[in-house]
Each structure stands twice: as structure tokens, then as C-alpha cells.
Amino acid sequence: MYNDYELLYLAKENNEVAIKILYDKYYPVLCIKARIYSRIINSSYEELFQEANFAFYLAIDRYQDNTRFVTYLNKCLDSVLINYNKSYCRNKNKVLNNSISFDCVDYNVLIDNDNNPETILMEEYNYSLLKNRIIDSLSWNEELVFVLKEQNYTTKEIAEITDKSLKSVYNIIGRIKRKIEIIMSN
């Protein structure tokens, strides 16, 4: 398995496999940053995720070996998303920002004859509500670890991605479990 430095060298040489490996590794970080900034500036998650993708490729292109890549990526993400926030809040964009878009609504519903669509919808809705309640109760670090765990990353991989010690990740997981127990008991 390659480390980040080898992958970054290959990515700068336009190796698509290396870029894909890096993207898959840091995809949760992009998602979390986009979600956090969408809450802060009350903007569309999809737009901010696209900006985060832009920042990811920018970070690969401009990265130098003086820091860890995850640290540099976080700084690039913050910089790009803050600049997006500034442009989003300008007066000339106010009319567009306050309008409602129906482009992202998916009207296609697949009906499975073996199951009741209403039941399936309610189960998904209840899970979504529970997940949102859990995420709302978590700090930024806890949310990042929660999303990575949900995507079946190992604790060791989470420690590498988040640039934290293994013990620190275990402590965060413990706090998450306690918070979930409190939410489930209510």
C-alpha cells in the first residue's frame, strides 16, 4: 500500500489511480467540511461539496512536502469554502441566494411490489431523523469519526485520516457511543 507522499507524487504526474486512491481516502473529510460550512452559511451542501472537490484537486496540485497532506488539505478546504462564503454573501447575489431551487429534488420513486412503499419511506425517514439527531449532538471531530466509522473505515485508518493518535480516536468513539445511548434512551 502506498503512503500519501508516494500517492501525491504519482498524482502530480497525472496518475488517475493515485488520484482516485487519495480521493477515496479523503472523501469523508470533504463531505464533513461541506456539511459544516453548509450549516454555517446556510448554503446548499451540493454546491459546497463541489467547492470542496475543487479544493482537493487544488491541494494536490499545490502541495509541498513541508507539512502532512491532511493538514494542508484542511487549510485548502477552509480557504476555498471561506472564499465561497464571502462571494455567496455579497449583495449582488442576494436574489439568487434567497431563491428556491427544485433541481435537486428526485421525483423518481421505484416501487417494489414485494414491499409497501409507504413503510420503506417511513423507515428511511426515521433513520434519517435519528442520524441527524446524532450528528447534531456531535462535535466536529466526533462527527468526522462517526461518518468515517459509518463508511467502514478501521480505527487505524481513521487515526491516519484525521491526523490523531489511535487512543484519541478510541476516546472519540467512546464519547460518540455515550451520546448515542443518551439519544436512544430518550
Side-chain angles (χ1 to χ4, degrees), residues 28-161:
V29 176
L30 302 177
C31 291
I32 294 293
K33 284 284 190 175
R35 183 177 297 123
I36 288 170
Y37 277 91
S38 71
R39 289 180 188 163
I40 292 171
I41 64 175
N42 198 20
S43 179
S44 166
Y45 167 79
E46 289 79 15
E47 290 177 23
L48 289 167
F49 183 72
Q50 290 304 318
E51 293 294 320
N53 278 322
F54 170 73
F56 171 77
Y57 291 107
L58 188 68
I60 287 176
D61 188 47
R62 295 184 179 174
Y63 177 73
Q64 297 173 353
D65 292 339
N66 55 354
T67 61
R68 292 182 55 142
F69 180 69
V70 68
T71 305
Y72 185 74
L73 176 62
N74 275 311
K75 289 181 182 181
C76 285
L77 287 167
D78 287 335
S79 176
V80 166
L81 294 174
I82 287 170
N83 285 337
Y84 176 83
N85 180 26
K86 288 178 184 176
S87 68
Y88 181 83
C89 293
R90 288 191 186 121
N91 285 335
K92 70 179 184 178
N93 296 329
K94 253 191 199 262
V95 172
L96 290 174
N97 295 343
N98 293 332
S99 66
I100 299 174
S101 172
F102 292 103
D103 294 338
C104 60
V105 177
D106 184 13
Y107 294 103
N108 298 325
V109 176
L110 298 174
I111 299 175
D112 183 5
N113 292 331
D114 297 335
N115 296 316
N116 182 351
E118 184 178 353
T119 306
I120 294 169
L121 183 64
M122 287 307 295
E123 287 173 1
E124 289 176 4
Y125 178 73
N126 289 336
Y127 173 74
S128 177
L129 282 177
L130 177 62
K131 184 177 172 184
N132 286 339
R133 282 185 59 206
I134 291 169
I135 288 175
D136 287 342
S137 72
L138 301 176
S139 69
W140 184 86
N141 286 325
E142 292 168 345
E143 183 177 345
L144 179 58
V145 171
F146 178 79
V147 170
L148 290 169
K149 268 309 224 187
E150 188 179 39
Q151 294 177 357
N152 296 323
Y153 281 88
T154 65
T155 308
K156 184 178 179 184
E157 291 172 329
I158 293 171
E160 291 174 6
I161 290 171

